[in-house]
Amino acid sequence: MNKLPSSCKFILQFLKYNEILSAQELHERMRLSSSKAPSLSTTYRSLEILLKEKQVQSVEFRDGEKRFELVKIGEHHHHLICETCGTIVHMEECSIIHWKNRISEEHGFLLKQHVMEMFGLCNLCTTVTDQ
Amino acid sequence: MNKLPSSCKFILQFLKYNEILSAQELHERMRLSSSKAPSLSTTYRSLEILLKEKQVQSVEFRDGEKRFELVKIGEHHHHLICETCGTIVHMEECSIIHWKNRISEEHGFLLKQHVMEMFGLCNLCTTVTDQ
DNA sequence: CTCGATGCAAACGATTTGCAAAATT
DNA sequence: AATTTTGCAAATCGTTTGCATCGAG
């Protein structure tokens, strides 16, 4: 429970769980709601701090744009993203944890972090795409 | 077996299995070895084609730079990256395939693609880091 | 008064694009 | 001759940085 710069606290008030935003989207949202919103650079800097504090996780889609998501401190999870309609399913549990030991044994690796996102078609789009 | 533009064939001759290169690194390598090397833009365009043809897979580390790796057509795999020394372990088999059905059932999602990379400490660096 | 936090504008770096020339079919 | 591929330079876009100012303690 470090004391965070005020910009970080400001940001936290504008993030909801299960919502994935880029730094720019977040900044835009804050700017529209308040004249005391932190600048874009500060937004970037603060998100970096919140990442280190694990109050936020970063989500990497494939467009090279980093996105961020509020999490319960220290937790994280992964997503299913529909390539057609953009629907995002937040998977409650990170299954990679189950491999940690196996990977450790097989490759002598101690896992620290990972990146994982899955792309496909959601239920609705699967049926629709039968064209 | 589509017929590829000559730049793609050129590129394929400069890629080895289990080697991960950015577009720029690849371009530099080609440029140094041959005066007929494709330009940087063409390198980008060609890698995009090779990706679609699944002759190459893209590997996403966390520095925002896309990297590419030669694969047997249609296959792919993931990596363990040591955060200290940079060692990369190529994991022979993609374990996510095993989840495909479960995810399909649980979330009605049809998986098409995914991104996964794992970061940590390799055997050597684990012991060394005991400082 | 000191030091961290902030805003602004400029810098950066990877990638993409417009367009005209060159190569392929 | 029509179509695709290519190179070059400029544009783009997200992100980072230098630096001077602001503000909390």
Side-chain angles (χ1 to χ4, degrees):
Chain A
M1 212 175 279
N2 279 326
K3 76 166 160 25
L4 296 168
S6 68
S7 61
C8 288
K9 294 176 201 156
F10 195 100
I11 284 177
L12 286 175
Q13 297 177 341
F14 281 81
L15 290 175
K16 304 189 197 74
Y17 286 104
N18 283 0
E19 195 184 43
I20 302 177
L21 290 173
S22 70
Q24 315 221 17
E25 287 167 340
L26 171 59
H27 172 250
E28 188 63 7
R29 167 182 299 188
M30 295 189 293
R31 204 178 58 74
L32 293 176
S33 312
S34 161
S35 57
K36 305 190 297 300
S39 72
L40 184 55
S41 346
T42 300
T43 303
Y44 276 108
R45 287 188 271 232
S46 306
L47 283 170
E48 219 51 49
I49 294 173
L50 291 171
L51 261 185
K52 281 207 191 69
E53 300 291 328
K54 295 191 191 298
Q55 305 221 19
V56 136
Q57 74 173 347
S58 77
V59 184
E60 319 248 0
F61 295 170
R62 288 160 309 175
D63 58 358
E65 191 168 11
K66 237 172 266 167
R67 290 156 203 277
F68 300 86
E69 180 178 13
L70 184 61
V71 292
K72 281 179 260 171
I73 298 182
E75 297 191 6
H76 80 268
H77 63 267
H78 304 280
H79 306 92
L80 295 173
I81 299 115
C82 177
E83 293 179 320
T84 303
C85 68
T87 294
I88 298 178
V89 175
H90 299 252
M91 301 179 72
E92 59 300 319
E93 182 208 351
C94 168
S95 338
I96 290 185
I97 289 170
H98 302 323
W99 303 345
K100 239 181 151 164
N101 293 330
R102 191 167 65 75
I103 285 167
S104 183
E105 288 158 17
E106 284 183 19
H107 301 100
F109 242 82
L110 179 61
L111 283 192
K112 293 284 193 186
Q113 301 185 23
H114 52 263
V115 169
M116 178 170 85
E117 302 299 340
M118 309 170 89
F119 305 88
L121 294 172
C122 72
N123 213 330
L124 192 60
C125 291
T126 313
T127 33
V128 170
T129 308
D130 289 336
Q131 27 173 335
Chain B
M1 212 175 281
N2 278 326
K3 77 169 159 24
L4 297 167
S6 68
S7 61
C8 288
K9 293 177 201 155
F10 194 100
I11 284 176
L12 287 176
Q13 296 176 342
F14 280 80
L15 291 175
K16 304 189 196 71
Y17 286 103
N18 284 0
E19 193 185 43
I20 302 177
L21 290 175
S22 70
Q24 314 220 20
E25 288 166 340
L26 171 60
H27 172 250
E28 188 62 8
R29 167 182 298 188
M30 295 189 294
R31 204 178 59 74
L32 292 176
S33 313
S34 161
S35 57
K36 304 189 298 300
S39 71
L40 184 55
S41 349
T42 300
T43 303
Y44 276 109
R45 287 188 272 234
S46 305
L47 283 170
E48 219 50 50
I49 294 172
L50 291 171
L51 262 185
K52 281 208 191 67
E53 300 291 328
K54 295 189 193 299
Q55 305 220 19
V56 137
Q57 75 174 347
S58 77
V59 184
E60 319 249 1
F61 296 168
R62 289 160 309 176
D63 59 357
E65 191 168 9
K66 238 171 267 166
R67 290 156 202 276
F68 301 87
E69 180 179 13
L70 184 61
V71 291
K72 281 180 257 170
I73 298 183
E75 297 190 6
H76 79 269
H77 63 268
H78 304 280
H79 306 92
L80 296 174
I81 299 115
C82 177
E83 294 179 319
T84 302
C85 68
T87 295
I88 298 179
V89 174
H90 298 252
M91 302 178 71
E92 60 299 321
E93 182 207 352
C94 167
S95 339
I96 290 186
I97 289 170
H98 301 323
W99 303 346
K100 238 179 153 164
N101 294 330
R102 190 166 66 77
I103 285 167
S104 184
E105 287 157 19
E106 283 182 20
H107 300 101
F109 242 84
L110 180 62
L111 283 192
K112 294 283 195 186
Q113 302 185 24
H114 52 263
V115 170
M116 178 169 86
E117 302 301 340
M118 308 170 90
F119 306 88
L121 292 173
C122 72
N123 214 329
L124 192 60
C125 291
T126 313
T127 33
V128 172
T129 309
D130 286 336
Q131 23 173 341

